[in-house]
Amino acid sequence: AGPEWLSPLREGALSSLRTLGLPTKKTEAWRFTRVEHLLGDLPAPEATDTAAGWASISSHFRVLFRGSQLVVGPNAPEGLGVHRLTDLPDALRNTLGSIATNEHFVALNSATFEDALVLHVHGAVTTPVEIEVEGGPSLLAPRVLVVLDREASLSLIERSSGDSRLTAAVTEVSIGAGAQLDHVRIHEDRGAVLSALAIVQDRDSRYRGHTFTFGGAPQRLDHSLRFAGPGAEAHLDGLYLVREKEHVDHHVRVDHEAGRCTSHQRYRGVLDDQGTAVFDGQAIVHRSAPGSEAHQQNRNLLLSDRANAYTKPHLEIDHDEVVASHGATVGALDEQALFYLRSRGVPSATAEGILTFAFLRELVDAVPIAALREELTESVLLRLPEPDTLRGFELEET
């Protein structure tokens, strides 16, 4: 389905699906996340009522994927071109599908998406752009392409909500020379979400990513970033809260293909009940990338002895001129800190909540949009012990 010029992308995706199939427990990158059961008898997407309210901040320019429909809000801000498949300029057609590799569920998305949202940023966009994907009982395949021209800038928010039977989402991002993108992703879908984000950065560009994952069954989030021009910089932050029998899997890969580029991966998670979290972070410094700097950090806090965290940050370095570091921790709350708070009259549950929020707060505070930062603070507090009491501490400190 779709315009004729999409045929090569569709055919390539179908070929990849036939060759690769779906990942199994023998597929190394998927060995902790089972997905074979997700593709049972999936009903086709249905047109749905889009008159319901938007779960977002009203001052943002908004787009909604719901069922088989893509709804674009009015009044696109200055400096932003908004396109769909039916009106996509020739200059942007070749970019769609050129950044994300056709692996497993990316191929599934490429073979099945019905419409695509293409954002062409050709200036400094001062209004945040928000994309919401609302999952439901059928397969949903949202497709997004974001292209930032030279020296352009944008704040982008992507949300996933609902209760997905299966959402296979793909976002591709091209950041031009000297351009800047602040990107906040909020995953609140209670169902199965398999999401791929692929980014390519040109010379002296800047990317700041903030990923917040609140449960899911399962959530598999693949993030790949490639430095294609020298002097670029990327900060990739991730925060995840997992409880009950939720399962969250973050795979991150950064390829330093150009020199003098800097990457920071900083992921933190809190696991309770029988929750499971997976972090697999790669930073690959190629021979063509002298003067690279690559850092990785993954920290996990276990609130239950039944929770499981699997963490694997790793570096591959093929050049001597590099600064690099990586590390991972999995542990419980500090007993001395808990004792200190309890000895001063703080109830045990409140003490646990205070220390847990302190563990996460740095990542929340890094979000550049004030109203969104407040919303995310509340979302985190609601998932911690004694949220009302903690909210009081937060207000007093503010």
Side-chain angles (χ1 to χ4, degrees):
E4 182 63 28
W5 58 266
L6 266 182
S7 295
L9 177 62
R10 303 281 200 212
E11 292 168 3
L14 289 170
S15 176
S16 293
L17 281 175
R18 285 191 290 266
T19 301
L20 295 172
L22 294 177
T24 69
K25 63 181 180 180
K26 294 183 179 179
T27 308
E28 176 63 23
W30 292 80
R31 64 193 179 103
F32 295 117
T33 303
R34 303 296 298 274
V35 294
E36 303 98 304
H37 63 287
L38 296 178
L39 284 180
D41 294 326
L42 284 168
E46 297 179 355
T48 53
D49 179 16
T50 57
W54 302 72
S56 59
I57 300 170
S58 60
S59 60
H60 298 168
F61 173 70
R62 294 166 293 172
V63 179
L64 174 67
F65 285 92
R66 178 186 288 167
S68 63
Q69 294 182 319
L70 168 59
V71 184
V72 179
N75 305 320
E78 186 177 352
L80 179 69
V82 182
H83 306 281
R84 301 170 69 159
L85 289 181
T86 53
D87 66 350
L88 189 59
D90 291 344
L92 295 175
R93 290 180 180 178
N94 290 335
T95 306
L96 184 67
S98 67
I99 302 173
T101 57
N102 255 343
E103 292 185 357
H104 299 302
F105 290 95
V106 174
L108 176 65
N109 175 285
S110 297
T112 59
F113 74 87
E114 297 187 9
D115 203 349
L117 172 69
V118 178
L119 302 177
H120 182 202
V121 187
H122 49 82
V125 179
T126 57
T127 300
V129 173
E130 181 166 349
I131 303 168
E132 182 172 353
V133 176
E134 185 177 295
S138 58
L139 172 65
L140 184 60
R143 188 69 175 234
V144 177
L145 170 65
V146 183
V147 178
L148 284 82
D149 286 349
R150 183 184 184 91
E151 303 293 339
S153 61
L154 176 70
S155 292
L156 176 66
I157 303 159
E158 289 188 281
R159 296 178 184 265
S160 64
S161 61
D163 193 359
S164 285
R165 173 68 175 81
L166 175 60
T167 292
V170 175
T171 297
E172 298 178 292
V173 180
S174 174
I175 307 177
Q180 300 186 48
L181 177 63
D182 281 303
H183 189 188
V184 182
R185 296 187 294 160
I186 305 169
H187 300 277
E188 295 181 301
D189 195 310
R190 296 178 297 276
V193 175
L194 308 170
S195 174
L197 169 65
I199 299 170
V200 60
Q201 290 188 234
D202 205 343
R203 173 187 297 269
D204 299 322
S205 60
R206 298 291 180 268
Y207 174 80
R208 290 187 175 271
H210 314 265
T211 300
F212 294 85
T213 308
F214 301 115
Q219 296 264 358
R220 164 71 183 226
L221 310 173
D222 286 81
H223 187 166
S224 64
L225 185 146
R226 181 170 65 89
F227 291 122
E233 184 176 342
H235 292 259
L236 286 65
D237 285 353
L239 180 156
Y240 46 94
L241 286 165
V242 186
R243 56 190 179 185
E244 298 175 349
K245 294 184 178 181
E246 295 168 336
H247 183 106
V248 168
D249 184 345
H250 292 87
H251 270 60
V252 184
R253 173 172 173 149
V254 176
D255 280 277
H256 288 254
E257 296 183 359
R260 297 184 293 103
C261 295
T262 301
S263 66
H264 294 267
Q265 299 176 36
R266 182 176 59 163
Y267 277 69
R268 295 183 188 177
V270 174
L271 291 74
D272 204 352
D273 303 322
Q274 298 180 60
T276 299
V278 181
F279 174 79
D280 188 313
Q282 301 179 63
I284 302 172
V285 180
H286 296 262
R287 187 168 298 180
S288 57
S292 295
E293 187 170 343
H295 302 283
Q296 298 173 297
Q297 181 193 82
N298 177 228
R299 298 174 61 192
N300 296 276
L301 182 59
L302 304 184
L303 302 183
S304 164
D305 57 9
R306 297 177 298 168
N308 291 290
Y310 302 95
T311 177
K312 185 185 175 185
H314 53 289
L315 300 164
E316 297 180 25
I317 299 173
D318 197 21
H319 201 288
D320 292 336
E321 189 183 339
V322 63
V323 177
S325 66
H326 67 136
T329 60
V330 178
L333 290 169
D334 186 282
E335 288 295 335
Q336 289 186 338
L338 283 171
F339 177 78
Y340 176 86
L341 290 173
R342 289 197 297 263
S343 68
R344 279 150 181 77
V346 178
S348 179
T350 303
E352 290 181 5
I354 291 172
L355 294 178
T356 304
F357 185 62
F359 174 74
L360 299 172
R361 180 165 186 170
E362 185 179 4
L363 298 184
V364 179
D365 288 347
V367 173
I369 303 170
L372 191 59
R373 191 164 58 245
E374 294 174 6
E375 176 196 323
L376 288 166
T377 297
E378 179 66 15
S379 294
V380 171
L381 290 175
L382 285 173
R383 289 165 172 81
L384 299 183
E386 303 290 330
D388 291 336
T389 305
L390 291 177
R391 197 176 293 110
F393 278 103
E394 173 74 6
L395 290 173
E396 288 178 12
E397 186 173 336
T398 301

